[in-house]
Amino acid sequence: PAPAGLPGDPDPEEAVSDDSSRHGGRVRGFPHERGNWATHVYLPYIAQEEFLELLELLVSRARTYVPSLAAMEEFHLSLSQCVVLRYHWIEPFVRSLRERLAAFHRFFCVADQVKVYTNQNKTRTFIGLEVSAGHFQLLELVSEVDGVLEEFDLPTFYKDPSFHISLAWCVGDLSGRLEGQCLRELQDIVDGFEESAFLLRIQWEQIRCKSGNKYFSFPLR
């Protein structure tokens, strides 16, 4: 039976649409099936006004190379891939995460290296800020999250992850246009931004898990 008391339980008759035009042309990484919940573990980043000013400068410059680029509206650093959970797995999955992450303390990292990424099936391209300090603590967190994923026979995180905060995206593999000269110009903007040293030294205070329309928070000590 499905667990009781989870907020935001879906209407069992709710229709599901996979119309990519409603999502900026994005394509699902896996087909939707009723009872399957797309699930993701991550560190949320709450953008400050100065960060949004830096983002605007970067996206404006990058659009001279790729006009279809869209700025992200929310920001995070991933600790897992997007995996599929059955609905009745959500409660034990979250419980196991909470137990494994309970001992972790707040920590800082620095995300100040501009990098271009594509998703695994090359349907989207991203500009991100890669972590240059704090890698060890992130690997420790991923190790615990991977342990939970293995309990449920789900894919673990990438073997040699490039931890990053995505800033902007576009449909298709347009990495060739963004790398090289564009990437150098974007890095110059970050390096020259007055508040960048302060802004891009980030203290992580909580971990979140999003499963479908449900959010679970795990505060760091």
Side-chain angles (χ1 to χ4, degrees), residues 83-203:
V83 299
V84 177
L85 274 184
R86 300 296 294 173
Y87 180 70
H88 60 278
W89 290 353
I90 296 174
E91 190 173 13
F93 183 87
V94 169
R95 184 169 59 246
S96 186
L97 271 180
R98 197 174 300 281
E99 290 170 358
R100 283 181 172 265
L101 298 174
F104 280 89
H105 292 263
R106 298 178 182 186
F107 66 98
F108 285 94
C109 78
V110 177
D112 60 359
Q113 300 300 303
V114 186
K115 193 166 179 180
V116 176
Y117 299 89
T118 57
N119 61 355
Q120 284 182 301
N121 52 8
K122 305 291 185 182
T123 59
R124 295 174 73 192
T125 304
F126 300 85
I127 295 173
L129 287 174
E130 185 182 31
V131 167
S132 61
H135 202 80
F136 177 75
Q137 293 94 327
L138 293 169
L139 286 174
E140 285 191 316
L141 285 176
V142 165
S143 177
E144 295 300 330
V145 174
D146 278 352
V148 177
L149 293 166
E150 288 171 345
E151 291 176 28
F152 291 82
D153 198 26
L154 294 169
T156 54
F157 205 39
Y158 308 107
K159 185 176 180 181
D160 296 306
S162 172
F163 294 110
H164 64 279
I165 299 171
S166 291
L167 303 176
W169 67 279
C170 61
V171 173
D173 182 1
L174 299 182
S175 54
R177 295 193 204 172
L178 293 169
E179 290 170 343
Q181 180 62 29
C182 177
L183 197 60
R184 288 190 290 272
E185 291 178 13
L186 298 180
Q187 188 65 57
D188 286 344
I189 290 173
V190 169
D191 294 343
F193 193 71
E194 186 177 359
E195 300 289 334
S196 65
F198 167 73
L199 279 176
L200 304 180
R201 183 176 185 267
I202 302 163
Q203 183 179 38

Side-chain angles (χ1 to χ4, degrees), residues 30-44:
F30 42 81
H32 174 84
E33 291 183 26
R34 190 171 299 282
N36 282 355
W37 290 62
T39 301
H40 178 220
V41 182
Y42 60 96
L43 293 159

